[in-house]
Amino acid sequence: MVTFMRARKRTATFYECQKKLNIGSKVKDKIRKIKNFSDTRWTSHDRVITVIHDKYEALKNTLESLSESTDRVTASNAKSFLSVISSFHFVLVFKLMKSIFSITTPTSCYLKSKSIDFIQAIKLVDETKKRLIELRSDKYFQELVQNTKQFTYEQNLCENYFKNYERGKPSKCLEKMCKMKSVPQHQTENKFSNARDILKDLALLSPERLMEAKHKSEMDLPDKCFLDLSTWITDINPFQLKTEY
């Protein structure tokens, strides 16, 4: 859908639909554009989801307009995308992703900054991890479902709950969410188990710490400093590095 909406004429239609909705208290709302995803920058995904969330009604109106296009391909694709974004499943997932990115994006931006405090980075990653774990709770899941239902009512969508739920069939979306909650946390913890110790070693090599060391005649360093760094960068001699430090 993102690629579909990137076409110039479709973007123009999206702009017009936004302008029509920018009345009353929304008269000063910024006209937004759906940008492409980036394979390497996860913040780009956050921006796309934010636009879809904030401009959902305009996007829905755009697809409704495009579904009546004289171009058969455009009309067919628009109808398909309109059906997708009108589903409870779609709204639930992008609400979930918006919550996730609201937690991870600030951390991502900090980790990409030019001047970074590695100790602060560790604390930030820990806090991010803690908040993400909270999203796996039954309480958050219920809140997510309620927020999704409220959103579908506000947008006058026909589908206001999990599909097939009322007929006694388990929703595929619900099953996926349950599986996601059951994924062992140690899988991600094991993958980055050495990252904390490596960051601690890198923190000693930050410009601030080096300037601090420069003005001290003696510097007390942990006995095992740089050992974890040497397991990551095998050419480093941790004992020689400690001596030079």
Side-chain angles (χ1 to χ4, degrees), residues 132-157:
L132 287 174
I133 290 174
E134 290 174 355
L135 296 187
R136 298 162 62 95
S137 66
D138 291 333
K139 178 182 178 182
Y140 173 76
F141 180 72
Q142 294 300 326
E143 290 176 355
L144 175 64
V145 172
Q146 290 302 319
N147 289 337
T148 303
K149 288 175 67 176
Q150 181 64 31
F151 187 87
T152 58
Y153 288 133
E154 292 172 354
Q155 298 297 331
N156 297 316
L157 301 182

Side-chain angles (χ1 to χ4, degrees), residues 1-18 31-34 36 58-79 81:
M1 184 180 70
V2 173
T3 304
F4 175 77
M5 289 299 300
R6 289 282 294 163
R8 185 181 300 176
K9 290 184 178 180
R10 296 163 194 163
T11 298
T13 304
F14 185 43
Y15 282 174
E16 287 301 317
C17 288
Q18 291 183 64
I31 302 297
R32 305 290 295 276
K33 180 180 181 181
I34 298 179
N36 276 335
L59 177 61
K60 183 161 66 75
N61 293 346
T62 300
L63 292 174
E64 288 175 350
S65 175
L66 293 174
S67 65
E68 299 176 358
S69 171
T70 54
D71 181 72
R72 294 177 61 184
V73 175
T74 297
S76 176
N77 285 332
K79 289 177 182 177
F81 290 130

Side-chain angles (χ1 to χ4, degrees), residues 110-111 115-125 196 198-208:
Y110 182 78
L111 294 177
S115 57
I116 179 173
D117 183 331
F118 288 106
I119 299 300
Q120 181 62 30
I122 292 173
K123 293 180 180 178
L124 198 57
V125 169
R196 176 184 300 276
I198 291 173
L199 282 174
K200 287 181 179 178
D201 284 346
L202 287 174
L204 293 171
L205 300 174
S206 66
E208 293 79 8

Side-chain angles (χ1 to χ4, degrees), residues 22-234:
N22 285 359
I23 57 177
S25 59
K26 297 182 179 181
V27 69
K28 294 184 179 180
D29 281 7
K30 185 178 179 181
I31 302 297
R32 305 290 295 276
K33 180 180 181 181
I34 298 179
K35 297 183 178 181
N36 276 335
F37 288 118
S38 169
D39 293 333
T40 57
R41 294 182 179 273
W42 277 97
T43 50
S44 69
H45 295 244
D46 182 21
R47 287 194 294 269
V48 171
I49 290 173
T50 299
V51 172
I52 292 175
H53 181 274
D54 296 347
K55 302 296 181 180
Y56 182 87
E57 186 176 1
L59 177 61
K60 183 161 66 75
N61 293 346
T62 300
L63 292 174
E64 288 175 350
S65 175
L66 293 174
S67 65
E68 299 176 358
S69 171
T70 54
D71 181 72
R72 294 177 61 184
V73 175
T74 297
S76 176
N77 285 332
K79 289 177 182 177
S80 296
F81 290 130
L82 181 60
S83 175
V84 170
I85 73 166
S86 299
S87 68
F88 188 86
H89 183 178
F90 177 86
V91 177
L92 182 84
V93 171
F94 89 66
K95 281 277 188 182
L96 172 62
M97 295 306 298
K98 192 173 187 301
S99 296
I100 292 174
F101 280 119
S102 69
I103 297 172
T104 60
T105 295
T107 304
S108 297
C109 292
Y110 182 78
L111 294 177
K112 290 187 294 185
S113 60
K114 292 182 179 179
S115 57
I116 179 173
D117 183 331
F118 288 106
I119 299 300
Q120 181 62 30
I122 292 173
K123 293 180 180 178
L124 198 57
V125 169
D126 284 344
E127 180 62 24
T128 300
K129 175 184 169 184
K130 177 183 175 183
R131 293 178 63 191
L132 287 174
I133 290 174
E134 290 174 355
L135 296 187
R136 298 162 62 95
S137 66
D138 291 333
K139 178 182 178 182
Y140 173 76
F141 180 72
Q142 294 300 326
E143 290 176 355
L144 175 64
V145 172
Q146 290 302 319
N147 289 337
T148 303
K149 288 175 67 176
Q150 181 64 31
F151 187 87
T152 58
Y153 288 133
E154 292 172 354
Q155 298 297 331
N156 297 316
L157 301 182
C158 296
E159 200 172 301
N160 304 120
Y161 204 59
F162 294 109
K163 198 172 183 180
N164 298 328
Y165 183 83
E166 294 181 353
R167 286 178 278 174
K169 298 180 181 179
S171 163
K172 290 183 179 179
C173 179
L174 183 58
E175 289 178 351
K176 289 179 181 179
M177 294 290 289
C178 291
K179 288 180 180 178
M180 181 191 74
K181 289 173 60 182
S182 64
V183 174
Q185 296 176 22
H186 65 78
Q187 289 185 6
T188 54
E189 291 175 353
N190 290 342
K191 186 175 181 180
F192 302 102
S193 58
N194 295 328
R196 176 184 300 276
D197 294 325
I198 291 173
L199 282 174
K200 287 181 179 178
D201 284 346
L202 287 174
L204 293 171
L205 300 174
S206 66
E208 293 79 8
R209 292 298 298 273
L210 290 173
M211 289 298 295
E212 180 184 345
K214 179 181 178 181
H215 299 290
K216 289 186 176 181
S217 57
E218 293 184 3
M219 192 74 176
D220 294 329
L221 293 175
D223 294 334
K224 296 183 179 181
C225 68
F226 304 128
L227 288 178
D228 293 291
L229 187 61
S230 65
T231 61
W232 180 42
I233 306 176
T234 55

